[in-house]
Amino acid sequence: MASSAELSAPPETVPAVSTEQALFELDLYGFTVLPEVLNRAEATELAALLDRADETMGVEYVYEEAYARLVPCAPALDDRFLKLIDHPGVLPVIEAVLGREIVLGSMNARIVRPGDPEQGLHSDIPAVHRRQTGHPIMLQAVWMIDGFTSDNGATRLVPGSHRAAASAPPKGLAVPHVVAPTGPAGSVLIFNGQCWHGGGANRSAGRRRAVFGHYRVGAWMRFQTDPSLYLSEERWRALTARQREIVRMVHGVGQKNAADYYADQPHAGRFE
């Protein structure tokens, strides 16, 4: 296996990554990086949209000792986010692992501010749904709206941990081999939801913006953030037929889907 330095260091050039190569890396390491899926101008536009949305609807995000700003349901903000749902540079990799019968569990944005700390290592998939062999039931596609660097809070991962039986590192044991894949703005980090991972500390002077596309399948086909609560009729009409399938809104707006949480419905015990 490559050393953590080799996995973390930004390449001198940014070659394209084939679907075959991406699938090989997902199987071997549990993650892959697709460089510059969006160009710099597109990423800059999305960054400005996220900053404006953060001012009006952003909330504080606290999870696993991480602190950041969260903007829910990026596709509801502007038509320019809709292409992230089924981008031809990313969706073929997702579907090659999970199949076509997928649901976009959420597509929220997180903004890590200067001084926000490192997040603890964890898995996004509960132990009851972990699969030590075969395909997982969730992949995360992290859109680097800002380039990910070793200083600005790039997501940290433990290579190979997608095959571990536990959903988090065992208490009392060290995890010395952690990598933080980097990439220029517009790149996409795809990782197996079973991987132990955590946000990095932002030691830079700027904010690090990212959009997290959370694709689910099988026994976990419910929403983390229900898009029907955010997408307007106008935005729904801008969705392609495939996008409507992925967000389970083929029949229009207004009907609740099965999400992890609704503000007007008690969460405790609903899905346990």
Side-chain angles (χ1 to χ4, degrees):
M1 179 184 288
S3 70
S4 48
E6 291 171 325
L7 285 169
S8 301
E12 294 181 3
T13 59
V14 187
V17 173
S18 68
T19 297
E20 182 180 15
Q21 179 66 30
L23 294 174
F24 170 72
E25 293 175 10
L26 277 166
D27 184 59
L28 181 64
Y29 300 124
F31 62 89
T32 188
V33 175
L34 308 179
E36 296 181 311
V37 177
L38 301 177
N39 62 44
R40 185 168 296 277
E42 291 173 313
T44 299
E45 280 188 345
L46 297 185
L49 291 169
L50 287 180
D51 284 344
R52 289 201 293 271
D54 182 33
E55 292 176 359
T56 59
M57 61 182 295
V59 297
E60 286 295 311
Y61 172 85
V62 181
Y63 181 71
E64 295 286 343
E65 301 179 2
Y67 299 86
R69 296 289 294 173
L70 182 139
V71 178
C73 201
L77 302 178
D78 189 277
D79 287 357
R80 282 167 283 188
F81 283 103
L82 298 181
K83 63 185 173 186
L84 275 55
I85 296 173
D86 61 345
H87 196 288
V90 175
L91 190 64
V93 178
I94 302 293
E95 291 183 335
V97 177
L98 300 181
R100 282 184 56 86
E101 292 301 315
I102 55 177
V103 65
L104 182 63
S106 62
M107 186 168 268
N108 301 328
R110 288 209 288 276
I111 302 171
V112 182
R113 300 155 296 192
D116 280 338
E118 187 176 273
Q119 186 181 33
L121 294 172
H122 64 283
S123 165
D124 286 339
I125 296 179
V128 67
H129 291 313
R130 288 184 71 84
R131 298 172 178 175
Q132 289 181 266
T133 61
H135 296 312
I137 61 170
M138 192 273 276
L139 289 178
Q140 192 84 263
V142 184
W143 292 81
M144 303 180 191
I145 306 305
D146 294 295
F148 276 25
T149 72
S150 58
D151 292 327
N152 73 354
T155 300
R156 299 150 44 248
L157 298 115
V158 180
S161 58
H162 60 304
R163 299 302 184 197
S167 294
K171 293 185 183 301
L173 296 180
V175 183
H177 306 298
V178 181
V179 302
T182 59
S187 302
V188 180
L189 164 67
I190 302 177
F191 67 86
N192 184 320
Q194 297 187 166
C195 272
W196 300 347
H197 66 279
N202 189 349
R203 297 182 294 273
S204 75
R207 306 199 326 159
R208 191 232 67 194
R209 308 162 189 86
V211 174
F212 291 73
H214 182 113
Y215 295 86
R216 296 178 174 189
V217 72
W220 216 25
M221 285 183 71
R222 64 172 187 257
F223 290 101
Q224 183 181 54
T225 300
D226 188 344
S228 69
L229 297 183
Y230 296 92
L231 286 168
S232 65
E233 180 78 21
E234 177 185 11
R235 195 78 65 228
W236 178 82
R237 292 187 181 280
L239 293 170
T240 66
R242 181 60 177 144
Q243 288 169 350
R244 292 174 184 177
E245 289 176 350
I246 293 173
V247 300
R248 294 297 187 267
M249 292 182 68
V250 171
H251 302 294
V253 300
Q255 182 176 355
K256 288 182 178 179
N257 294 298
D260 286 346
Y261 172 77
Y262 293 107
D264 61 345
Q265 297 176 11
H267 172 64
R270 287 192 66 206
F271 300 115
E272 283 74 6

